[in-house]
Amino acid sequence: MNMQATMSLRRGGVSLRRVIEGTLKAFFFLSASVCVLATFGIFFSIIFEALRFFQQVSPVAFFFGLEWSPQTAIRTDQVGQSGSFGLVPVLAGTLLITSIAIAIAAPIGLLIAIYMSEYAAPKTRNLTKPLIEMLAGIPTVVYGFFAALTLAPIVRDVGRYFEFEIASESALAAGLVMGVMIIPFVSSLCDDVIRAVPLSLREGSYGLGATQSETITLTLLPAALPGIASALLLALSRAIGETMIVVMAAGLAANLTLNPFDAVTTVTVQIVSLLVGDHEFDSTKTLSAFALALTLFMITLLLNVVALRIVHKYRQRYE
């Protein structure tokens, strides 16, 4: 009797465990599906509205136009695209500010990561790393105020001293502050990636007579390259999506220029300016924001594809 009771209890426990595991499995699958469905929902909501815009404005005029001046028709007999909807000036401003930011953040963040993972004492690391990561928690509007009220006048005065004409709102000021903002993303992720390199690679390098600097440059960095590429991609995506710093430090002027001393604008800033205010939602001006959003989505997708190719290539090499 006791044996039968014990067997029934075991069967009941196994059944209950299977039910719990099945429930958890379904919950995890649902959680993963939410992210996928949200991504598809965002993509289709953007592309449907963007297609409405391209019914009024030629895609060739949008993607290859050299002037951005979105306007709406005042009278019903006017053509919907009475303004200019050329993407090139807006995209050029985005790439210019992002290039300045990543040029600042990538080397500084990587050097910080190398120091924190290979040279810093444990006490120094435990004190310094949280302080660096605090930069990531500062609201971007604070960075914007700092760029507009402090850094921009300094940049303008320095340029005047060297006889350079720098606008009060410039891509250089916005890029410098944005670079400082994304340093924690690069340094923290690169630090984790470098520390995750197997100890056997370090020991093998030292065993062959390499110095610490040679071990870092010839062994650790190549082995950690996929993770470093992912860290730079995350920082790049963060910089591309930034808005407040650009609004307050670079301005709203859609100038087609590669001069960092000039005022420029970015895709995200134009999206915000187009959707803020009392506008008709089906007007060409408002719908152009969805075309800009689609462009930003495709750029981010392209960056992810490139990063995945890099990771795949070097994983085959080092694993």
Side-chain angles (χ1 to χ4, degrees):
M1 185 69 179
N2 292 334
M3 183 66 69
Q4 293 179 353
T6 302
M7 292 298 293
S8 62
L9 287 174
R10 289 180 178 177
R11 292 174 180 173
V14 171
S15 300
L16 180 61
R17 185 173 63 183
R18 288 178 177 176
V19 171
I20 294 175
E21 290 179 352
T23 303
L24 291 176
K25 184 178 179 180
F27 177 75
F28 294 147
F29 176 77
L30 181 62
S31 300
S33 300
V34 168
C35 297
V36 177
L37 293 176
T39 303
F40 278 106
I42 293 172
F43 174 73
F44 285 115
S45 63
I46 291 175
I47 197 170
F48 287 152
E49 299 299 330
L51 290 176
R52 294 178 58 192
F53 170 77
F54 289 128
Q55 291 177 352
Q56 304 177 37
V57 177
S58 169
V60 175
F62 175 75
F63 288 109
F64 299 99
L66 302 181
E67 182 180 355
W68 177 263
S69 178
Q71 302 293 333
T72 54
I74 301 176
R75 303 188 308 273
T76 57
D77 59 340
Q78 286 183 312
V79 181
Q81 58 269 26
S82 57
S84 300
F85 295 91
L87 174 66
V88 175
V90 181
L91 187 60
T94 302
L95 297 179
L96 178 60
I97 294 178
T98 303
S99 300
I100 296 172
I102 204 65
I104 297 296
I108 295 177
L110 185 57
L111 291 175
I112 291 173
I114 293 173
Y115 170 75
M116 297 292 288
S117 62
E118 301 299 319
Y119 292 102
K123 290 184 178 180
T124 304
R125 172 184 169 82
N126 295 334
L127 176 64
T128 307
K129 188 171 182 178
L131 294 177
I132 295 175
E133 292 178 347
M134 284 180 61
L135 291 173
I138 299 177
T140 56
V141 66
V142 177
Y143 282 108
F145 274 118
F146 172 73
L149 301 180
T150 303
L151 187 62
I154 293 175
V155 170
R156 187 173 62 251
D157 293 339
V158 171
R160 190 176 301 160
Y161 177 80
F162 289 100
E163 297 183 352
F164 288 113
E165 185 66 28
I166 301 179
S168 57
E169 295 177 329
S170 64
L172 180 61
L176 290 175
V177 176
M178 193 181 297
V180 173
M181 182 192 68
I182 63 177
I183 283 177
F185 293 91
V186 179
S187 63
S188 180
L189 291 174
C190 289
D191 177 32
D192 295 337
V193 168
I194 294 174
R195 290 173 64 88
V197 174
L199 184 60
S200 59
L201 291 180
R202 292 178 171 87
E203 294 175 344
S205 178
Y206 291 137
L208 293 173
T211 63
Q212 187 175 16
S213 60
E214 290 173 341
T215 299
I216 292 171
T217 56
L218 301 178
T219 302
L220 297 184
L221 292 183
L225 186 59
I228 293 173
S230 299
L232 294 179
L233 173 66
L234 178 62
L236 191 62
S237 300
R238 181 70 179 83
I240 290 176
E242 177 54 39
T243 304
M244 290 304 301
I245 294 176
V246 182
V247 170
M248 304 178 73
L252 299 174
N255 296 320
L256 180 55
T257 178
L258 295 179
N259 186 356
F261 301 152
D262 292 339
V264 295
T265 189
T266 62
V267 174
T268 54
V269 171
Q270 289 301 312
I271 291 174
V272 172
S273 63
L274 289 170
L275 296 179
V276 171
D278 188 13
H279 302 294
E280 294 183 6
F281 191 78
D282 57 349
S283 66
T284 308
K285 180 178 180 179
T286 306
L287 291 176
S288 64
F290 293 95
L292 292 175
L294 179 62
T295 304
L296 198 62
F297 185 91
M298 298 306 296
I299 292 174
T300 306
L301 179 62
L302 179 61
L303 290 175
N304 279 275
V305 171
V306 172
L308 289 175
R309 292 293 300 272
I310 294 175
V311 170
H312 179 69
K313 177 181 178 180
Y314 283 93
R315 274 183 178 172
Q316 283 185 335
R317 181 176 178 180
Y318 289 102
E319 287 185 355

